[in-house]
Amino acid sequence: MGEKLIVAENLTIYYNNYKAVEDVTFKLDSGETLLLLGPNGAGKTTLLKTIAGLHKSYKGKLLVFGKPPTEVRDLISYVPQSYSLNERVPLKAIEVVAMGALYKRGLIHFNIPKPILKEAEEALEFVGLGDLKNKRFVELSGGQKQRVLLARALVSKPRLLLLDEPLSALDPSARVEVVSVLAKIKREMGLTMIITTHDPNPLTEIGDKIMLINKRLVAFGTPEEVLRDEIITQVYGPLSKAIKVGERMYCFTGDVHVHRRDRT
C-alpha cells in the first residue's frame, strides 16, 4: 500500500462532443480494490475503458503507474462485460486462457508454445477449473466462463485488473464462485482491481474503496463513507437504504437506471 497507482484530477471523458463522465478526481493505492458503483448509463464502463487505455478522448489528468494509460497497457488486464469470443469456434478452456498470454506477446492461436500452455493451466488451477481445461468453452456454465475469462486476464501477469460488471449475468451460486476467486486474487496476488457494478453487496468483503458516479463523481471513499443514505439517494432515489450488518455496509436500491440528480 502507499504507492498511488492511479491518479485522476478533473477528468472529463468525451464521446464525440458529449461529456460521458465529467470532472472526476480520485487516487487509488497499489493493492486496493475499488468498486465503481452507479446505475446503468452512469459512465462506469466509459471510465473503466479510459483507465485501461482503450478510450483516449478525455481532458484533465489521468496517470496509471505514473504514465498515461496508453503507455502502460501491458500492465493492465481488462475484462469487458460481454466477451467477444466466437463460440462457433470450438476452443477449449485452456486455449481461451492461453490467448491472454499469446496476444500480449504478439503470437497467434495455432501451435501454442508449451510454456504458455503451462501458464494457462496454472491460471485455470488458480480459478478452480483445472479439471475442465480440455472442455469446450461453449459448454461451460456462465460462472465457469467468467472464471475462464478471469484466468485469461491473469495469465499475462498484470499489475492492474479491470472488470466490467463481472457478476451481472450470473445466478446467485455462480456469483459466489466468482467473488471467491476475486477474493483469492486480492488475498494471494495482491493485485489492484477496479470492478464496476450496479450492486456492490456481493463484493463488499473485498472492496477497500467505493466510487459512486452518475455522470459526475458523487462520492469516493471507504464503504462506510460512501454507502450512506444521504449519498446513495442522490443516485438511486429516495427508496434507497444503506444498512450495516456486522462490519459490512450493504446498499439496497429499488432501481438501477439513471435518476435525475437533485440540483439543489
Side-chain angles (χ1 to χ4, degrees):
M1 295 282 186
E3 177 195 354
K4 298 300 180 189
L5 193 145
I6 299 174
V7 176
E9 294 179 5
N10 307 119
L11 178 65
T12 296
I13 307 171
Y14 296 85
Y15 270 110
N16 298 320
N17 293 321
Y18 170 70
K19 291 180 181 178
V21 176
E22 187 174 359
D23 197 24
V24 169
T25 296
F26 75 98
K27 295 178 181 180
L28 192 67
D29 286 346
S30 177
E32 287 188 318
T33 296
L34 169 65
L35 305 183
L36 183 51
L37 177 63
N40 294 336
K44 303 188 299 295
T45 297
T46 299
L47 179 55
L48 202 67
K49 284 184 174 181
T50 305
I51 293 170
L54 300 173
H55 185 80
K56 304 170 188 176
S57 181
Y58 65 86
K59 291 182 179 178
K61 180 178 180 180
L62 178 61
L63 298 177
V64 183
F65 304 106
K67 298 180 179 181
T70 52
E71 295 181 17
V72 289
R73 290 276 302 277
D74 285 349
L75 302 177
I76 302 170
S77 277
Y78 168 70
V79 181
Q81 182 175 359
S82 56
Y83 51 86
S84 57
L85 291 172
N86 184 347
E87 295 194 349
R88 288 176 291 183
V89 178
L91 291 175
K92 297 176 182 177
I94 193 167
E95 293 172 324
V96 172
V97 176
M99 287 162 58
L102 291 170
Y103 289 166
K104 283 285 173 81
R105 301 177 198 187
L107 302 174
I108 59 174
H109 166 64
F110 303 105
N111 299 319
I112 301 171
K114 286 186 178 179
I116 289 182
L117 280 175
K118 186 174 186 298
E119 291 173 10
E121 190 168 350
E122 290 171 353
L124 277 174
E125 292 281 357
F126 184 86
V127 302
L129 294 175
D131 57 337
L132 297 180
K133 66 180 182 179
N134 290 317
K135 191 164 185 178
R136 289 171 59 176
F137 183 80
V138 69
E139 296 172 350
L140 300 175
S141 70
Q144 289 169 341
K145 286 178 179 176
Q146 189 68 293
R147 283 189 282 160
V148 167
L149 296 176
L150 282 174
R152 182 174 71 166
L154 295 174
V155 77
S156 62
K157 298 177 173 58
R159 289 178 56 197
L160 173 62
L161 183 59
L162 306 176
L163 306 170
D164 193 5
E165 296 276 5
L167 309 180
S168 63
L170 304 180
D171 62 39
S173 63
R175 281 200 295 269
V176 170
E177 293 172 357
V178 172
V179 171
S180 176
V181 172
L182 294 175
K184 186 179 181 184
I185 291 169
K186 180 179 179 66
R187 183 176 65 249
E188 298 186 15
M189 302 179 77
L191 269 183
T192 308
M193 294 188 282
I194 301 179
I195 306 170
T196 72
T197 180
H198 60 263
D199 178 12
N201 295 330
L203 296 162
T204 52
E205 64 182 86
I206 64 170
D208 300 299
K209 298 285 176 60
I210 289 182
M211 181 188 298
L212 181 60
I213 65 171
N214 194 2
K215 307 292 188 183
R216 291 174 171 267
L217 180 66
V218 177
F220 174 81
T222 65
E224 287 198 347
E225 290 169 335
V226 174
L227 297 182
R228 305 197 331 250
D229 290 350
E230 63 269 28
I231 292 176
I232 62 174
T233 54
Q234 293 181 52
V235 172
Y236 291 106
L239 299 180
S240 306
K241 292 291 292 182
I243 298 175
K244 186 172 184 178
V245 180
E247 294 300 312
R248 293 188 199 166
M249 296 298 300
Y250 292 89
C251 174
F252 294 92
T253 64
D255 192 0
V256 294
H257 297 284
V258 172
H259 289 267
R260 293 178 60 188
R261 291 178 60 201
D262 190 347
R263 296 188 179 275
T264 56

